[in-house]
Structures are given as structure tokens and as C-alpha cells.
Amino acid sequence: VVSTQSTGRHRPCFDSILHYYQTGKEAPPLNVDPDVYAKEKEFFGIKKEREVAVFIPDGDGSDGIDCVNSCRMKVHNFLQDPRSSSLAAVWHGFDIFFICISIGFLVFESEPRFKPQFNNKDAEYYVPLFIINCIIMGFFTTDFLIRLVTWPSLLEFWKNLFNVLDILSILPFYVNLMVGSSEGGDPANKQHYVVLRVCRIFRIVRIFKFVRHSRDLLIIMKAVSNAKRELILLICLLFIFVITFGSIMYYIESGANDDFDSIMKSCWWVIVTITTVGYGDMYPESAGGKLFGGFVLTLGIVFLALPMTIIVSKFSFVYEREKM
């Protein structure tokens, strides 16, 4: 076992290299300079793969294949790392700018006074807004297709969560165009209406495109992923707590309070109570219900505090380790 403290090596890089030796799969650290990671791999005996092979002058075409692979790798790094070149930084800047505009369109389209400008073809600003939206979707589509072509493995491409979010944020635009052109101006078509509603819901995932451009957000996602066992434990305990005390409150208030006419409503009251939200939409009226309600409130605070301390401590540990 190699100790990073005794050797003075980079801890996040060491974790990735240890993972490589254990599984055979390379998972580079998120917030570490590629040159630092390359030096650590060289130190631990992991040979760097050649991007361009040696030229073989026998006319078998292998040099052309190596050139294509090298170009694909350069384009892939261009899209993945804004620090690879100044042009890559500009491309990522445009991506962030278009994401902001797209989210702005999504928000303003829901405003009653702006909605006709986005949906009514006879409105004054419909055409300019539609053209801007087409430009944004064209940029997103181009970015997605280039990523798809230059990704090292097609299977790994679809395993990447951000690539799936990209396609989910792009498809609603084209589905909307096809449905709008096929319905012949008939807004009463319920099937088309449902399709449009679903597409508009999926447009919300565009906001997650921001995560790709922020290393801190990626670190947070990794920290949350490492604490998933604790989160699942919290959800299971919450489920048991809510069902148990919701059922008890239902039988205490049954017949004396019309608000607690089902266990489902009682469970809703338990959730609102233990999270200290307290909407006030329903509350116990009997003496036994009030006494039990106070017990649920007090126990709920303790119940949530115990697993949360474990989750927060583990999250802080992972977050600080990744930022090293």
C-alpha cells in the first residue's frame, strides 16, 4: 500500500490511479490540471497512450486513420475543456450565453403578457424571437452532433448523463416544429396538445447544461453521489416515520376532524410538520391530537438531525478532498 503522505504525491490523482489499477478503467479527477495528472500517471508507471502513431510508408492507410483519430481527439478536447485553447473558451462562452437566453425564453414564455409573442404567429415580435430560438437550437444541435461524432466510444457517450440531458433539451424544439406543422392550425387537437405540454416540460433540463461548465458544481454532484447510501437511508427512515405517525394521527383525529379523513392526508401533515414548514392547511383539533402533534414535531426535528449530520460530514470531506 502506497501512502500519499509519505511520498508527497497528489491525493486526488492517486485515488484515480488506484481506481485504474483496481478496475482497469480510468476516471481522471474532475478539478486537476491534465499535466499534473499525466505526471502522476507517469510516476506510477501508467504509460501515456500515443495520439499519433509512427508513419508507415507502405501505403496501407494507417497514417490516415491515425490522423483522423488525432483530429477527433483534438475536437473532443476542444469541446470538453475550455482551457485547451482561446477558441475553445470562446465556444464555451457562447454556449453559456445561449443557455441563459434559452432559459430566459422559457421563463418569459409563461408570462401572460409575453406569451402571445412566442405562440401567436401574427404577433409583432414572433418572427424575431423564433429566429433567435432557431439560432440557439442550431448551436446546441451542432455542439451535440460534434460531441457524438468525436466521442471515443458511442456506448460511453450515451452513458454520460450530460449528453442525455443535451438531447432531452434539444428534441422538444424539433418535436414542436413537427407537431405545429402537422396540426394545420387546429389548437383543439388534444393529442398534439399533450405532446406540446410534455415537450415544454423537458425544456426545463436546459438549466442543467450549466453544470457542464462549472467544476464546483461537478464536485458537488460527485460528493452527493458518494453520499447516496446515507441519502437512501434518510429516505427510508423518513418513509417509515411518515407512514407510522401519519396512521396514528389518522386514528386519533378520525371522526373529530374532517381534515384527517385519510391516512394519505395525515402523512402529508406529518411531512409538513417534521420539516417545520407548517402550512396551516390542516392541524389536529382534539386534545390527544394536539399532544401527539407536539410529540411528532419534537421527535421529527431529532429524527432529521441525526442522519443529516452524517450526510453533511461526508459531503464536506469529499468536497474538500476534490478541491485539493
Side-chain angles (χ1 to χ4, degrees):
V1 178
V2 181
S3 173
T4 57
Q5 293 181 352
S6 60
T7 59
R9 310 312 305 179
H10 195 275
R11 178 54 189 264
C13 292
F14 177 79
D15 292 340
S16 298
I17 292 170
L18 180 61
H19 176 78
Y20 171 78
Y21 277 114
Q22 291 175 338
T23 64
K25 297 181 180 180
E26 188 174 359
L30 295 175
N31 62 329
V32 176
D33 187 272
D35 295 334
V36 176
Y37 181 56
K39 292 180 181 178
E40 293 297 313
K41 289 199 301 181
E42 183 179 358
F43 175 82
F44 285 102
I46 300 178
K47 296 181 180 180
K48 182 179 179 181
E49 296 181 359
R50 295 176 298 175
E51 295 181 1
V52 182
V54 179
F55 176 73
I56 304 175
D58 58 359
D60 63 351
S62 60
D63 56 325
I65 296 175
D66 293 331
C67 181
V68 171
N69 292 334
S70 177
C71 292
R72 286 181 59 189
M73 182 61 64
K74 290 180 180 178
V75 175
H76 178 73
N77 293 335
F78 170 85
L79 295 176
Q80 290 294 108
D81 187 7
R83 301 172 300 175
S84 60
S85 65
S86 57
L87 186 60
V90 173
W91 180 273
H92 283 257
F94 272 110
D95 192 20
I96 295 175
F97 177 69
F98 285 145
I99 291 173
C100 294
I101 296 179
S102 178
I103 295 174
F105 280 7
L106 178 65
V107 174
F108 285 110
E109 187 177 348
S110 64
E111 290 289 330
R113 53 178 175 172
F114 297 130
K115 185 178 293 186
Q117 302 295 335
F118 291 92
N119 300 326
N120 188 358
K121 296 182 179 181
D122 297 327
E124 180 180 2
Y125 297 104
Y126 174 82
V127 175
L129 292 174
F130 179 75
I131 293 176
I132 295 174
N133 197 22
C134 289
I135 295 174
I136 295 174
M137 289 299 105
F139 179 87
F140 289 160
T141 304
T142 303
D143 182 85
F144 175 80
L145 292 177
I146 295 177
R147 290 180 188 273
L148 177 62
V149 173
T150 60
W151 206 269
S153 171
L154 185 61
L155 181 61
E156 295 297 326
F157 176 85
W158 293 112
K159 287 183 179 180
N160 189 291
L161 175 62
F162 297 111
N163 295 330
V164 176
L165 293 178
D166 284 343
I167 190 65
L168 290 178
S169 66
I170 295 171
L171 280 180
F173 173 76
Y174 296 102
V175 174
N176 192 15
L177 287 180
M178 291 186 293
V179 172
S181 61
S182 64
E183 67 180 353
D186 182 13
N189 193 318
K190 293 184 178 180
Q191 293 181 346
H192 291 166
Y193 177 76
V194 172
V195 172
L196 292 176
R197 294 283 291 184
V198 173
C199 290
R200 287 170 181 171
I201 292 175
F202 275 111
R203 289 166 56 190
I204 301 174
V205 302
R206 294 177 188 173
I207 195 170
F208 292 102
K209 292 172 68 68
F210 275 120
V211 180
R212 190 195 295 272
H213 300 283
S214 175
R215 289 186 176 272
D216 288 334
L217 291 177
L218 290 173
I219 293 173
I220 291 175
M221 289 185 61
K222 187 173 182 179
V224 172
S225 177
N226 288 337
K228 58 185 178 183
R229 293 183 62 181
E230 288 75 12
L231 291 173
I232 293 175
L233 175 62
L234 175 62
I235 293 174
C236 292
L237 291 176
L238 182 64
F239 177 79
I240 295 173
F241 188 96
V242 169
I243 293 297
T244 302
F245 289 96
S247 301
I248 296 174
M249 178 58 76
Y250 165 73
Y251 288 110
I252 291 177
E253 290 291 302
S254 180
N257 191 341
D258 294 336
D259 292 333
F260 294 84
D261 57 355
S262 69
I263 294 180
M264 290 296 295
K265 288 186 177 181
S266 300
C267 291
W268 164 252
W269 173 84
V270 173
I271 294 175
V272 173
T273 301
I274 65 175
T275 55
T276 67
V277 175
Y279 286 122
D281 54 343
M282 53 189 300
Y283 50 87
E285 296 179 354
S286 65
K290 292 178 180 180
L291 182 63
F292 184 73
F295 173 74
V296 170
L297 176 60
T298 305
L299 187 61
I301 296 175
V302 177
F303 166 81
L304 291 178
L306 291 177
M308 286 301 297
T309 53
I310 302 175
I311 294 173
V312 171
S313 61
K314 187 169 185 177
F315 176 85
S316 300
F317 171 77
V318 175
Y319 186 78
E320 292 299 328
R321 186 187 66 182
E322 294 295 329
K323 288 188 67 177
M324 290 177 55

